[in-house]
Amino acid sequence: MERSTQIQRGPNDPGLQNPGRRTLLLGSAGAMAAVSLLGFTPLARGEEPKSLPDYAAWKDRSALIVHSTNTMETHRGAIGQGVVTPSDRLFIRNNLPTPDKSIVADRDAWDVNIEGVKTPKKLTIGDLKTMGVTTVASVLQCSGNGRAFFPHGASGTQWSVGAAGCVLWTGVPLKTVVEALGGPVDGARYITSTGGEALPDGLDPKTVVVERSVPLRAMDSALLAWEMNDTALPLTHGGPLRMVVPGYYGVNNVKYVKNIAFTENQTDAKIQASGYRIRDVGQKGAPDQPSMWEMNVKSWVTAPLETAQNGRNMIYGVAFGGTKALSGVEVSTDGGKTWKSARFLGPDLGPYAWRPFVMAAELSPGEYRIVSRATDVEGNSQPEGRKDNERGYGHNGWSDHGVTVTVS
Ligand SMILES: Nc1nc2c(c(=O)[nH]1)N[C@H]1C(S)=C(S)[C@@H](COP(=O)(O)O)O[C@H]1N2
Ligand SMILES: [Mo]
């Protein structure tokens, strides 16, 4: 796979332009205490470390913006033109410290408990591998990708565009497993997955456990994955086993999955009940607000980023429709006044994958605001603006995601 060696950094990356905003991570003394209890090292202004934490040491340091020891995003300039994101460039987001690597010593021995089916059962990865196998390409994107563009200073990691990547997941369709266990119990409306991290002492487990419920409709596409791209699923990305819900925001893709329950109600874990809820700025999260499930249609330009050559240029980007395939993507070099269709690049890996795109443009000396706008097969297009919300979730406005490029 061709990789760009030069990674442009600069004013188009709000996380870097405005590094002081990172301190918002430490908004209150309470948040600070919680962070240190969980063993994270928050970063102060301008303190990007030279090396990566041990669990992520295998990653390509130059491709990543390190926001904290548990949050790293791919540089816009390192996203590249590939249909799949190289694993060593994929973003990382951990709510809890990564489990000990002993859990991937004997991968096939890892077991997952399945409840809320006619015949509840604990199955090992060894068992799952005999039941069925499929490969699905899907975009993994954090709900807060694009948070840095919100002017109200939404708390949380100040992700720009790089808390997203397109991954090939291999594992057994969840539906196959559930059917083998007699199907969900009557009245089941949600699939609730629990992460296998050890929970820190001294905190109410419900406030820290990574446990997410998604609607039962997700069963048609979900899989239990043990491989990512071309290797066994790295511990960093949820190995030995991960719940993958194609087209759903990152948080629903539970790593080191230990328990799967078909339930009538959503879990009352904080990450579900009040976390990852869309609400107005200033409001608290609550279970009656929309949850971050299916992703919305989105795209952004990946090259050029700051300067371009006088004359003909290739403008690149990536676009995806969440759970829906795309019908097209347009690019504007005048800040959205006029648009032209871009061309998709490379093979179509299905509705949940992203599609790299390219458009040729003649640029004479001057300044250009380059933006992209994707449309899905149901006719949903990216809006121009953002929908302000307390935690800065789900931003897909095309204007904020553009880049300003100088041609001289
Ligand atoms: N068990 C577990 N699963 C998890 C998380 C976590 O902290 N623990 N983080 C979630 C969030 S918020 C995101 S965005 C993705 C990040 O996946 P990655 O670290 O593989 O990129 O994993 C999700 N699944
Ligand atoms: Mo996330």
Side-chain angles (χ1 to χ4, degrees):
M1 195 168 298
E2 177 86 8
R3 297 191 185 177
S4 66
T5 45
Q6 213 194 338
I7 294 163
Q8 293 189 356
R9 302 165 188 227
N12 286 312
D13 187 326
L16 291 172
Q17 176 194 34
N18 209 355
R21 293 190 64 186
R22 273 187 223 141
T23 56
L24 288 168
L25 252 177
L26 316 177
S28 66
M32 175 82 119
V35 166
S36 58
L37 260 173
L38 297 178
F40 297 138
T41 314
L43 299 174
R45 176 192 286 260
E47 248 187 32
E48 257 205 75
K50 289 207 171 57
S51 57
L52 297 169
D54 280 354
Y55 74 91
W58 58 278
K59 294 260 179 178
D60 177 352
R61 176 70 190 83
S62 68
L64 298 167
I65 301 169
V66 179
H67 292 286
S68 75
T69 53
N70 59 317
T71 50
M72 291 154 231
E73 73 172 284
T74 316
H75 276 283
R76 196 194 275 255
I79 290 171
Q81 288 98 45
V83 287
V84 164
T85 305
S87 301
D88 64 356
R89 295 185 162 205
L90 185 67
F91 81 102
I92 298 174
R93 196 280 189 247
N94 287 319
N95 294 266
L96 288 167
T98 307
D100 189 83
K101 61 180 184 304
S102 59
I103 71 167
V104 289
D106 181 2
R107 290 169 174 271
D108 285 359
W110 177 267
D111 56 43
V112 55
N113 190 46
I114 312 215
E115 308 173 348
V117 289
K118 305 271 161 54
T119 324
K121 207 169 174 179
K122 212 173 233 186
L123 295 167
T124 64
I125 292 182
D127 297 330
L128 295 174
K129 284 180 173 171
T130 67
M131 300 174 86
V133 64
T134 187
T135 295
V136 177
S138 93
V139 173
L140 183 71
Q141 181 190 215
C142 186
S143 309
N145 197 29
R147 178 179 286 138
F149 301 112
F150 285 93
H152 68 280
S155 71
T157 304
Q158 297 300 304
W159 306 113
S160 170
V161 295
C166 187
V167 177
L168 285 175
W169 307 100
T170 295
V172 61
L174 179 63
K175 198 170 187 172
T176 303
V177 177
V178 170
E179 279 169 2
L181 302 182
V185 291
D186 296 340
R189 293 190 299 146
Y190 296 97
I191 310 165
T192 298
S193 307
T194 314
E197 291 110 329
L199 301 182
D201 290 334
L203 293 175
D204 175 0
K206 288 278 177 205
T207 65
V208 283
V209 66
V210 177
E211 186 169 270
R212 284 289 298 178
S213 302
V214 294
L216 196 59
R217 61 178 177 270
M219 192 168 68
D220 291 335
S221 59
L223 66 154
L224 291 170
W226 53 77
E227 253 180 60
M228 177 184 140
N229 294 340
D230 47 3
T231 57
L233 187 59
L235 177 65
T236 323
H237 293 295
L241 192 69
R242 184 170 194 165
M243 170 64 77
V244 172
V245 189
Y248 280 57
Y249 284 101
V251 67
N252 303 292
N253 296 263
V254 173
K255 306 198 260 191
Y256 352 97
V257 64
K258 251 307 180 194
N259 201 78
I260 298 166
F262 289 80
T263 51
E264 191 184 334
N265 297 308
Q266 296 175 36
T267 170
D268 60 358
K270 184 168 173 249
I271 199 170
Q272 180 80 26
S274 60
Y276 298 86
R277 298 280 176 179
I278 293 266
R279 70 269 191 180
D280 289 343
V281 175
Q283 298 299 115
K284 284 196 152 53
D288 61 345
Q289 300 153 351
S291 194
M292 298 309 288
W293 285 333
E294 286 97 340
M295 295 191 287
N296 55 27
V297 61
K298 189 165 177 179
S299 71
W300 57 85
V301 168
T302 56
L305 297 185
E306 283 156 50
T307 54
Q309 60 200 31
N310 185 358
R312 189 174 157 93
N313 284 270
M314 292 293 175
I315 297 169
Y316 292 97
V318 289
F320 54 96
T323 55
K324 298 169 194 94
L326 292 177
S327 62
V329 56
E330 302 152 288
V331 170
S332 170
T333 55
D334 56 11
K337 288 192 205 74
T338 59
W339 298 87
K340 270 194 204 151
S341 287
R343 180 170 66 79
F344 289 134
L345 197 56
D348 181 353
L349 297 183
Y352 310 112
W354 74 20
R355 305 232 41 199
F357 63 82
V358 63
M359 192 191 84
E362 290 291 335
L363 304 177
S364 50
E367 202 171 78
Y368 296 83
R369 182 71 184 165
I370 307 180
V371 290
S372 62
R373 180 173 67 187
T375 302
D376 71 25
V377 288
E378 289 179 11
N380 303 296
S381 286
Q382 292 177 249
E384 177 175 359
R386 42 175 187 264
K387 295 188 189 85
D388 285 328
N389 67 91
E390 173 63 15
R391 294 305 309 278
Y393 292 138
H395 191 356
N396 70 339
W398 56 255
S399 181
D400 282 348
H401 285 84
V403 292
T404 302
V405 170
T406 306
V407 175
S408 47

